[in-house]
Amino acid sequence: MTGLEITVGGFSLRARYEEEAAPRTVAALRDRLLPLESQIIHVRWSGQAGWIPFGDLDLGLEAENGTCYPHPGEIVIYPGGVSETELLIAYGYVSFASKAGQLAGNHFATVVEGGQHLPALGERLLWEGAQDISLREV
């Protein structure tokens, strides 16, 4: 499997790339962001998800395999525009939005191992705050 190993909040997850549906997004992630060491926080506007804001980072991306409603385990990148560039990991149901309104993120990966930990991760983000996160290609 080509994808991501994600270590976050004491949990280990594996995600497969959605290379057929989002090849440009996967390529940009590989070229510009990986490996990634950061912190993830609970979303402000979108429901049940963790969020890594990247500010005005330009990944050179446009909409690709977009969704406004990521399902649990889906990972999306919003490439910037009406809101900042950001990565979102859904642990529950999401209506992806910002203060500017509804957003469509590029669904580029899906958790395939460790998904049973997503609800506990969401609880940790909500009640304990920012958590260290590491994303590495496997």
Side-chain angles (χ1 to χ4, degrees):
M1 170 181 91
T2 303
L4 293 171
E5 179 180 76
I6 304 165
T7 304
V8 56
F11 302 106
S12 294
L13 313 169
R14 285 206 177 213
R16 77 165 181 271
Y17 287 133
E18 303 295 342
E19 290 190 88
E20 286 187 30
R24 293 183 313 274
T25 304
V26 170
L29 181 83
R30 285 176 166 150
D31 292 344
R32 307 280 310 276
L33 289 178
L34 294 179
L36 177 67
E37 300 285 336
S38 190
Q39 287 199 310
I40 188 168
I41 58 176
H42 200 276
V43 295
R44 291 188 277 192
W45 311 98
S46 300
Q48 298 175 315
W51 173 60
I52 304 172
F54 294 112
D56 61 359
L57 176 68
D58 183 0
L59 296 172
L61 287 172
E62 295 179 6
E64 176 181 61
N65 196 32
T67 182
C68 296
Y69 303 102
H71 287 92
E74 291 184 351
I75 306 171
V76 301
I77 287 182
Y78 178 72
V82 298
S83 187
E84 66 188 304
T85 301
E86 55 197 279
L87 184 142
L88 185 138
I89 301 174
Y91 70 84
Y93 291 95
V94 174
S95 179
F96 194 20
S98 73
K99 62 184 176 183
Q102 195 77 42
L103 299 176
N106 296 355
H107 173 205
F108 72 92
T110 303
V111 173
V112 293
E113 292 179 26
Q116 72 273 18
H117 302 302
L118 289 170
L121 172 61
E123 288 271 321
R124 187 162 292 163
L125 290 170
L126 185 61
W127 294 104
E128 296 178 24
Q131 300 292 309
D132 290 333
I133 186 168
S134 168
L135 284 82
R136 302 204 180 290
E137 192 164 34
V138 291

